[in-house]
Amino acid sequence: MNRGLGKLLLAAAEEHSRRMGWTCTGTSLSVLASNERACRCYSGAGFKKESSRSASWGKKGHIASDWQRWKKVTKDAYDKKSPVG
């Protein structure tokens, strides 16, 4: 399996945002902790795990799922000068 499609899609999305002129300093996403392939993909694309939490849903409180929040700070965020002298 591991064909690198996820990494290519992430790179294409970042390139598209640059072409559109969007000035983002980072990207955040959430993923099920059990989705190990996605976690490896995000890690390989430069994302860092920021936090984890459990969530349940529905009136009966269905089984909780462990979610992870990942973040990637773009190079542009480091290139911008601080507004404070």
Side-chain angles (χ1 to χ4, degrees), residues 58-74:
K59 292 180 182 179
K60 296 182 180 180
H62 293 279
I63 298 172
S65 298
D66 292 324
W67 288 86
Q68 296 177 343
R69 183 163 176 85
W70 291 68
K71 185 170 186 173
K72 179 179 180 180
V73 177
T74 62

Side-chain angles (χ1 to χ4, degrees), residues 25-79:
T25 57
T27 304
S28 296
L29 54 87
S30 296
V31 64
L32 283 167
S34 62
N35 191 343
E36 295 174 7
R37 290 180 63 195
C39 293
R40 282 193 308 271
C41 174
Y42 300 140
S43 178
F47 284 80
K48 305 287 182 209
K49 186 169 70 168
E50 194 174 50
S51 63
S52 298
R53 65 177 281 210
S54 290
S56 57
W57 60 92
K59 292 180 182 179
K60 296 182 180 180
H62 293 279
I63 298 172
S65 298
D66 292 324
W67 288 86
Q68 296 177 343
R69 183 163 176 85
W70 291 68
K71 185 170 186 173
K72 179 179 180 180
V73 177
T74 62
K75 181 181 180 298
D76 295 340
Y78 295 113
D79 292 343

Side-chain angles (χ1 to χ4, degrees), residues 9-22:
L9 289 170
L10 288 169
E14 290 173 348
E15 178 60 27
H16 178 72
S17 69
R18 280 193 282 285
R19 285 189 201 155
M20 296 295 294
W22 297 338

